[in-house]
Structure formats: C-alpha cells, structure tokens
Amino acid sequence: MTWTVIIPGPPVAKERPRRSAFGHWYTPRRTTEYEEAVAWAAIAAGVRLQPYAAYSVVIELFVADRRKDLDNCAKSILDGLQRMGDGWDDRQVTSLMVRKRMAKSKDDEQAVVRIARRPD
C-alpha cells in the first residue's frame, strides 16, 4: 500500500516547546496548526496507517528559501501524521528520505509526502 500526500503552503519546521509565564509547557501555535494541516491532508488522501507496521517515508519540500531546516520540517510532518488518531507512531518509520527542492515562487511552496508500507 502506497499513498501520496500533498500539503499545500510553505513547510513549517517543528519549533521547540515553550514555557508559559504560569510554568506549563506548550507547542507553539504555528507548529500545531501545521501538524493539523498535515493530518487533514493525509486523511483526505486516504492514508490508513496501521499500528506496529513498518513504513518507508519520502518527503520532498518545495521551498522558495533554502534556509528551511530540513530535519525539523520532517519532524513536524511525521508528528502531523501521528495526529490522525489511528494509533500510528513515527517510530514505525524504518526508512526516511527528505529532499529540499526550490519552488518557482512562494505560491508554489508545498510538501509532498510518499508513504509506503514495508514488507513484514
């Protein structure tokens, strides 16, 4: 089983947790909103990830600015897939490839994620 998920808009790097003035920790809004967008895009693409199965993930980031942090963008996408609520965990990824490509313009920025179940 293989799926392709397109997340429109500029890829967002996972931001570090912040501590509020009251002492509780939280993830910045920009990160959580992007992770939710990833989950909704995956659901719309028909992704059905099984708990305990192994997966291969290829992420292509189309960005207008080379300064995007590759590994943190991948982390926000993988964490977004966990938000689908099907019990899947990104520890099940046994192969991960992330590529950064230049978009023609800011309007063309997006992330393309290909997910394939690996043989048991």
Side-chain angles (χ1 to χ4, degrees):
M1 183 68 60
T2 302
W3 300 276
T4 299
V5 180
I6 298 173
I7 303 120
V12 174
K14 179 89 173 185
E15 296 177 87
R16 294 186 186 280
R18 306 274 199 276
R19 191 172 183 170
S20 74
F22 301 106
H24 75 279
W25 291 90
Y26 67 96
T27 301
R29 178 179 292 160
R30 184 170 182 236
T31 298
T32 56
E33 287 175 352
Y34 186 70
E35 289 174 358
E36 289 171 6
V38 169
W40 284 112
I43 290 167
V47 175
R48 300 266 187 256
L49 301 174
Q50 301 296 317
Y52 309 110
Y55 290 92
S56 170
V57 178
V58 176
I59 301 171
E60 288 186 285
L61 305 170
F62 292 88
V63 296
D65 181 4
R66 286 198 188 270
R67 293 180 293 169
K68 288 280 183 186
D69 190 6
L70 202 67
D71 60 326
N72 286 331
C73 287
K75 183 64 178 159
S76 63
I77 290 169
L78 293 175
D79 286 353
L81 292 174
Q82 282 185 208
R83 286 181 176 264
M84 290 182 4
D86 55 7
W88 183 82
D89 191 285
D90 61 6
R91 289 179 284 184
Q92 294 171 237
V93 175
T94 59
S95 173
L96 175 65
M97 182 179 355
V98 186
R99 294 183 206 143
K100 190 185 323 184
R101 301 196 185 274
M102 293 307 295
K104 294 176 184 174
S105 70
K106 284 203 174 273
D107 293 337
D108 296 325
E109 289 186 310
Q110 64 181 357
V112 178
V113 183
R114 290 179 182 80
I115 306 164
R117 184 167 178 176
R118 300 197 37 120
D120 292 329

